Amino acid sequence: MSRLDNRAYYDDFAGWYERERHLPYHRMLDDLEVELVERYARGKDVLEVGCGTGLILDRVARFAARARGIDLSSGMLTRAATRGLCVAQASATELPIATRSVDVAYSFKVLAHVPDIAGALREMARVVRPGGYVIAEFYNARSLRRLVKAVKPPSAVSETTHDEHVFTRYDDARAIRGYLPPELSWVDTRGIRVITPAAAVLRVPLLGAAVRWAEHRLADLPGARDVAGFLVAICRKGT
């Protein structure tokens, strides 16, 4: 199957990107991610790598001292700019940010689509101050979500493009450790989407509320978090 380069894929996706982000499944993922960033970034200078249309960055900006974002896609950034956010067009592997200039650099749903993952993590580590954090989310190779993705038909992201038109990588914890630059130490983990079998479950009255409750409590539980669909590595930069 032919693939699009990442810039073209996300420019095409930009028009549909927010069509389902109001639904319970996506709201749950966003809540779990924002909650994690707040633990480390309240009152701090932060950078979002792959900010898309700014849905996460807009929420982070409410508790951070300064919040900036970069994205490869001009289509995505056009929407982020309308939210009044500080954003710039750039690649995750070439951040236009000064060395040691932010306290936290984070990335969600992006690094799995970056072929030079080690280069992206080096850049995130470079811009973080000593003692600061890199929060990096990966698609977990050891998860139910990966099995579901393997058997389900592609999901459309525009009238002409679907989610198999973009490079996607799944990683386990061992692979992730191999990508980290030496100045980063993996100090904690959050698992996102531990037990949700399908997004539609979250729309079912009572059942959806129970699943959401469970996801929030399992996210930081060793063992459970390790099989989550999205594996988030919280890494601290050495002093």
Side-chain angles (χ1 to χ4, degrees), residues 14 28 66 204 206 224:
M28 180 186 75
R66 184 185 184 192
V204 180
L206 298 181

Side-chain angles (χ1 to χ4, degrees), residues 2 43 91 118 143 185 211 213:
S2 62
S91 167
S143 67
S185 298
V211 170
W213 178 89

Side-chain angles (χ1 to χ4, degrees), residues 18 52-55 57-58 76-86:
E18 294 190 18
T53 63
L55 289 172
L57 187 63
D58 186 48
M76 292 284 189
L77 290 173
T78 296
R79 293 170 177 264
T82 65
R83 292 187 158 93
L85 299 169
C86 179

Side-chain angles (χ1 to χ4, degrees), residues 7 22 67 153 155 184 191 195 199 203 214:
R7 189 190 306 267
H22 66 286
S155 298
L184 291 183
I195 60 169
R203 302 187 202 180

